[in-house]
Amino acid sequence: GPRKFNPVVPHRDSLVLTPGAILTPPPIVRNWADGLPDDLGMFANDTQGDCVDAGFYHALQVWSFNTFGVPITEDVARALQLYSETTGWNPAQGGEGPGSVIQDVLTYLLNVGAPIGDGTQRHKIDAFFEIDPKKNMDVRYEIDACGLVKIGFNVPSSLMDGEPPLVWDVPKTNKNDIVGGHDVILPGYDPEVFNLISWGRKDYVMTEDFFNTYVDEAYAIIDPDWINANGTTPAGLTLAQLQATMQALKNN
């Protein structure tokens, strides 16, 4: 679905850094998906408009692989369950469904959590905040600190002409011919491209030019397993400070 502007979602630019916190620049090259299997599963995004949900289950694969050494791949039914829970989509209706909205899904993951295992257990996130997609260095900082950044972007028709190319770049013509929105996770970067996971594959990259032209929202997600394993939190903030920024989004 189209992006939302929920005023209580915290923004990186407004986070108050811990006094004395020194932000070390992230490494020049980082890819947290290195070592993951080539085929990560579609999580039904080939038939449903559940890219936001599929992307979260890909995020779980990245976090668990880097935390426990083994990627945890949930059943595709869990992605469809999350899609249904967050949009009201009814599988019996068929079709793609209404499409997910990133801010709605992230708020749900904060309060309720994603279904895992047999569908009765939940994986919650600790916090999330928006990053200005025009600040590419901030995006790199948070990929390094959080394992990945979740983005929403407009899809040019050139990307959907046949099989998507491995390198996503701005087409020479018809660059404003937009066919819809999509959501992916970025688990890595180098100085010229961002690595992304989409449609079950981890070998796609998008150029800086593509990112700057089409991305209209980006989020850092603070995952409890990742924080416990790596001890790093973004933007020089403590976990308690990050959790405090979530109060307005919490249901309780």
Side-chain angles (χ1 to χ4, degrees):
R3 71 150 300 168
K4 277 197 173 172
F5 292 90
N6 182 344
V8 299
V9 170
H11 201 287
R12 188 185 196 273
D13 291 345
S14 64
L15 296 175
V16 181
L17 295 188
T18 309
I22 297 167
L23 290 185
T24 344
I28 304 292
V29 176
R30 167 69 82 195
N31 190 356
W32 296 110
D34 275 350
L36 277 172
D38 290 338
D39 180 4
L40 294 167
M42 282 269 206
F43 292 113
N45 195 206
D46 46 346
T47 55
Q48 308 303 328
D50 70 336
C51 55
V52 181
D53 317 279
F56 184 72
Y57 287 93
H58 288 137
L60 285 181
Q61 291 171 316
V62 172
W63 287 323
S64 57
F65 175 65
N66 286 284
T67 302
F68 308 119
V70 182
I72 294 172
T73 300
E74 296 292 341
D75 193 277
V76 64
R78 300 291 77 81
L80 290 173
Q81 183 183 346
L82 181 62
Y83 185 44
S84 180
E85 288 175 6
T86 52
T87 63
W89 171 72
N90 175 358
Q93 291 165 340
E96 279 197 13
S100 307
V101 176
I102 301 180
Q103 290 191 358
D104 290 351
V105 173
L106 291 176
T107 304
Y108 191 82
L109 294 172
L110 180 75
N111 284 299
V112 182
I116 56 171
D118 64 3
T120 59
Q121 300 128 291
R122 295 280 160 173
H123 184 108
K124 285 186 176 184
I125 60 174
D126 275 331
F128 70 95
F129 58 84
E130 187 158 4
I131 310 163
D132 182 349
K134 297 284 174 271
K135 297 185 174 175
N136 299 17
M137 205 58 208
D138 287 359
V139 175
R140 287 179 168 86
Y141 262 110
E142 303 316 343
I143 292 171
D144 181 49
C146 301
L148 52 99
V149 160
K150 195 166 182 57
I151 61 164
F153 61 98
N154 298 303
V155 180
S157 59
S158 58
L159 195 59
M160 306 310 285
D161 291 342
E163 192 69 22
L166 288 182
V167 179
W168 298 5
D169 203 355
V170 179
K172 301 278 186 286
T173 57
N174 299 335
K175 84 170 195 182
N176 296 323
D177 185 14
I178 301 300
V179 293
H182 191 35
D183 164 283
V184 300
I185 60 165
L186 309 178
Y189 59 81
D190 69 20
E192 287 162 8
V193 301
F194 289 100
N195 303 85
L196 65 110
I197 295 175
S198 181
W199 300 305
R201 293 181 61 166
K202 64 164 195 180
D203 49 357
Y204 294 119
V205 297
M206 63 173 63
T207 64
E208 196 102 0
D209 197 15
F210 183 99
F211 184 95
N212 293 338
T213 304
Y214 298 117
V215 174
D216 62 1
E217 53 186 326
Y219 300 90
I221 307 172
I222 291 79
D223 180 73
D225 291 340
W226 175 268
I227 296 297
N228 289 340
N230 293 282
T232 58
T233 47
L237 292 164
T238 65
L239 184 54
Q241 287 170 316
L242 285 164
Q243 287 170 332
T245 67
M246 294 287 99
Q247 288 316 309
L249 287 165
K250 287 272 192 174
N251 289 338
N252 45 35

